[in-house]
Amino acid sequence: MRMLLVAAAALALAGCNKAESSTPSGQKPKELALPPVKVTTAAVSHQAMPRYLTLTGSVQADRQSEVAANVAGRLVTTSVERGQKVTVGQVLAVVDSKQAGLASAAAAAQLQAAETQQAQAKQECDRADLLISQGAITKAEFERLKTQCTAQLYSANAARANADIASKLAGDTVIRAPFDGVVGERYVNVGEYVQPMTRVASIYVASPVRVSISVPEAAVAQVKEGQTLDVKVSAWPDRVFPAVVKFVSPSLRATTRDLIVEAQAKNDDLALKPGMFATVHLTVGQEEQATVPKSAVRVDGTVRRIYLSRDGAAFEMVVRTGETKDDRVAVLEPLEDGTQVIVQPPPGLRDGSLIQ
């Protein structure tokens, strides 16, 4: 058995020596060359690209209201749901009106009694004027009667105010929308007991929207009312929402040393939702930069690459990109005009690949 193993090892060594002898000394076997990749190229060109100041902000509703009950009682009806559009005056909920109605009736009865007493007191005052002129009563009696008249007048005015309050509370049992908008949240359900401060529903006006922007102190001079901004949100990475600066705060916030600016943006399709984080670009000028076609940039996560055409081969270059204009993107790396860049690089293209 041992003799057989030794013989097998000798044969293997002999085969290796034969293979080495078949290749010329100092040379490696030739690798198979890949055929050239057909590509399309375009020239790098310098052009004026917009220069932006990048700011952060948040999307807010143009109008927002947390509608309160404004009356105490048991809720008997809720008429809206989250996301429902409402018009001004539309019923949101109804509170049991029996108690408020009884209070209103009692206040009305008290008002009638007070007005009757006021009328009687006025007659007494008129009679007192006549008697004092004839000397039939003393001055002290006359002043007492006049004081009673004045007190009855004030009592009637107080009763009238109480009746108005009771009538208003009876009307407040029907809770209505204060303006046209969309219901964001309904906080109560039928059967709950509400107080005047209880929130019933939140209503938003989401078209247009306001964009609240924080401007650092160093950039305050570059922001003015009427400027146009480009707003982007992560939910719609490929969309730009134009906005116009409408309100500029007169002072910086002491704690953060920034200026709060509000811009207004159209939102007809309600793509912008109140509460969204926004990235805002403010145009502050133009700058000559090297640009390439947008389709020449290959994006792999956060890495951006372009492929230059040099001596029949692809030269890979990792780049930083700037703004996009007219389907061309700015490249922040130094590139000369006329340099050929590969457009729409094929998936298999690598650094050093032969191209045609």
Side-chain angles (χ1 to χ4, degrees):
M1 184 66 175
R2 184 174 181 181
M3 294 295 293
L4 291 174
L5 292 174
V6 172
L11 289 174
L13 181 61
C16 291
N17 292 335
K18 184 177 181 181
E20 289 179 359
S21 63
S22 65
T23 303
S25 177
Q27 295 184 6
K28 295 181 179 180
K30 293 184 178 180
E31 296 180 358
L32 295 177
L34 296 176
V37 180
K38 293 184 178 181
V39 297
T40 303
T41 62
V44 174
S45 66
H46 280 70
Q47 65 183 51
M49 298 296 288
R51 186 161 54 92
Y52 292 108
L53 175 66
T54 302
L55 306 170
T56 59
S58 60
V59 179
Q60 299 176 351
D62 186 53
R63 296 174 69 187
Q64 177 181 348
S65 177
E66 300 285 336
V67 183
N70 202 36
V71 69
R74 186 176 59 85
L75 207 66
V76 295
T77 302
T78 56
S79 307
V80 294
E81 294 292 345
R82 181 189 291 115
Q84 180 178 336
K85 292 183 178 181
V86 294
T87 57
V88 59
Q90 182 173 336
V91 176
L92 305 177
V94 177
V95 177
D96 187 3
S97 61
K98 291 180 181 179
Q99 183 176 353
L102 293 173
S104 179
Q110 291 173 356
L111 174 59
Q112 290 180 350
E115 288 178 342
T116 301
Q117 292 173 357
Q118 180 189 2
Q120 183 179 359
K122 186 176 183 305
Q123 292 176 358
E124 293 290 337
C125 285
D126 293 340
R127 186 179 300 110
D129 289 337
L130 178 60
L131 294 175
I132 194 67
S133 64
Q134 296 175 351
I137 59 175
T138 63
K139 184 177 180 181
E141 183 67 14
F142 173 76
E143 291 177 351
R144 185 183 63 80
L145 292 174
K146 281 292 186 179
T147 301
Q148 290 179 350
C149 291
T150 304
Q152 289 297 334
L153 175 62
Y154 290 153
S155 296
N157 290 339
R160 189 173 295 108
N162 288 332
D164 290 341
I165 293 173
S167 178
K168 180 182 181 301
L169 291 176
D172 286 345
T173 56
V174 179
I175 305 168
R176 302 180 183 274
F179 48 77
D180 296 348
V182 179
V183 176
E185 184 66 67
R186 194 193 72 198
Y187 300 108
V188 293
N189 292 299
V190 172
E192 294 184 26
Y193 190 89
V194 297
Q195 298 286 350
M197 297 297 293
T198 302
R199 294 186 303 169
V200 174
S202 60
I203 298 183
Y204 298 84
V205 175
S207 180
V209 292
R210 298 186 182 211
V211 183
S212 180
I213 306 162
S214 173
V215 182
E217 183 178 359
V220 166
Q222 302 181 52
V223 181
K224 296 178 178 62
E225 187 175 338
Q227 281 181 307
T228 300
L229 310 173
D230 291 336
V231 179
K232 293 184 177 181
V233 294
S234 59
W236 309 99
D238 298 327
R239 290 186 62 178
V240 175
F241 300 88
V244 179
V245 176
K246 292 291 186 181
F247 312 102
V248 178
S249 177
S251 64
L252 275 68
R253 294 189 294 184
T255 54
T256 54
R257 298 297 179 187
D258 61 349
L259 185 74
I260 297 300
V261 173
E262 279 195 359
Q264 193 176 73
K266 291 184 178 180
N267 192 31
D268 295 336
D269 60 352
L270 302 182
L272 294 174
K273 307 293 185 184
M276 281 184 168
F277 179 81
T279 301
V280 181
H281 289 166
L282 170 65
T283 304
V284 293
Q286 291 188 333
E287 182 180 1
E288 287 287 330
Q289 292 179 319
T291 66
V292 300
K294 187 178 179 181
S295 59
V297 181
R298 177 185 287 179
V299 180
D300 297 319
T302 59
V303 179
R304 287 165 171 75
R305 297 181 175 86
I306 62 173
Y307 293 87
L308 306 181
S309 174
R310 291 183 178 177
D311 301 326
F315 177 77
E316 181 183 297
M317 187 175 183
V318 177
V319 296
R320 295 168 299 144
T321 57
E323 302 302 327
T324 301
K325 179 182 177 183
D326 300 332
D327 207 34
R328 294 186 71 87
V329 61
V331 176
L332 305 183
E333 318 302 333
L335 290 174
E336 296 182 358
D337 278 349
T339 302
Q340 296 297 309
V341 61
I342 297 174
V343 180
Q344 294 179 343
L349 191 66
R350 297 289 184 270
D351 185 35
S353 298
L354 298 178
I355 57 174
Q356 179 181 348

